Amino acid sequence: MSADAAPLPRHPVERVHPRRSALGGDVTIAVESRYNFKADGRYGRGGSVGALNSGASTGVGTAIGRRRAPEGGQYRLDRHTLTLTGADGRSRRLFFAYSSQKELPEVDRDMIFVGGSVFSSDD
């Protein structure tokens, strides 16, 4: 880590940044994945997935759902590299960036990019 490495700035931490997607029709599938970054350098990650078949074409509706096993540990941010270290000591490095808004770009801390995914604040 460089001397610039530091926890995420105080503004976005202690927020949950979820990512939600859904696909509808006779069959609906919904997925949620979220990160929760804390000011003290800890993070949590969780999520869920669910599917619903309306039964419109078969006459029998079904629904299933499952929660992702929670994970957590410590995080460090060094420019655009987010390093997550799990409770088991294993680390993984992911791309990280904040979104921007307006014509003269200003950082939008309510939306973040982690790896290849976009997450936005619940606020």
Side-chain angles (χ1 to χ4, degrees), residues 27-105:
V27 176
T28 300
I29 299 171
V31 179
E32 179 192 45
S33 181
R34 66 185 170 279
Y35 281 98
N36 186 4
F37 296 103
K38 302 283 188 179
D40 64 1
R42 290 180 299 131
Y43 80 95
R45 183 171 184 207
S48 58
V49 62
L52 171 71
N53 177 342
S54 69
S57 50
T58 64
V60 178
T62 56
I64 60 170
R66 182 170 186 203
R67 288 191 179 270
R68 175 188 178 131
E71 112 186 27
Q74 299 291 315
Y75 73 89
R76 288 294 276 179
L77 181 61
D78 184 6
R79 300 176 194 238
H80 290 286
T81 302
L82 176 65
T83 303
L84 302 175
T85 304
D88 62 1
R90 291 190 303 178
S91 293
R92 69 174 181 245
R93 294 172 40 177
L94 301 164
F95 169 78
F96 178 91
Y98 290 109
S99 179
S100 62
Q101 59 182 346
K102 300 188 179 179
E103 193 167 315
L104 291 174

